[in-house]
Amino acid sequence: MQRPTFQNDALATNMREPLHAASQCAATVEMRRGESNLLTVHEVAELLQVPVSWVYERTRRHGPEQLPHFKIGKYLRFEERTLVEFIQRQRCA
């Protein structure tokens, strides 16, 4: 079995170190930002510093309090850009 190769040795070192769950989630968000702007429920909770249950509750609401999201099968996904716009609208309200 071949060892995966990494473009960046620092990234390879970080991938071998055990991470706290929140740190691991934040690291995942950082790695994905270059590839895609879709976030999971856990990444949104980490970004907004709220419980995951709060994120799920806000997806079930209607009107201006609903978090902008869409479903891929049974999975909720959030576009980072629309989430930032949502936060800015909440600040104005």
Side-chain angles (χ1 to χ4, degrees), residues 1-6 9 12-13 16:
M1 186 168 154
Q2 277 188 333
R3 183 177 155 255
T5 58
F6 294 94
D9 287 338
T13 302
R16 283 186 235 121

Side-chain angles (χ1 to χ4, degrees), residues 12-24:
T13 302
N14 289 339
M15 295 296 284
R16 283 186 235 121
E17 295 175 5
L19 295 174
H20 181 271
S23 299
Q24 190 173 18

Side-chain angles (χ1 to χ4, degrees), residues 58-69:
R58 290 293 171 139
T59 62
R60 289 189 290 269
R61 290 187 178 198
H62 296 286
E65 293 183 345
Q66 183 182 38
L67 275 175
H69 68 283

Side-chain angles (χ1 to χ4, degrees), residues 31-73:
M31 284 190 292
R32 286 188 182 168
R33 282 201 177 132
E35 299 171 12
S36 173
N37 62 345
L38 295 182
L39 304 174
T40 66
V41 171
H42 292 278
E43 291 167 340
V44 171
E46 179 70 26
L47 182 68
L48 299 178
Q49 298 178 356
V50 296
V52 171
S53 60
W54 185 92
V55 176
Y56 279 115
E57 178 191 336
R58 290 293 171 139
T59 62
R60 289 189 290 269
R61 290 187 178 198
H62 296 286
E65 293 183 345
Q66 183 182 38
L67 275 175
H69 68 283
F70 60 95
K71 282 188 154 188
I72 300 177

Side-chain angles (χ1 to χ4, degrees), residues 58 64-65 85-93:
R58 290 293 171 139
E65 293 183 345
E85 292 169 1
F86 171 81
I87 293 167
Q88 290 172 346
R89 283 194 309 272
Q90 296 301 309
R91 285 183 182 166
C92 295

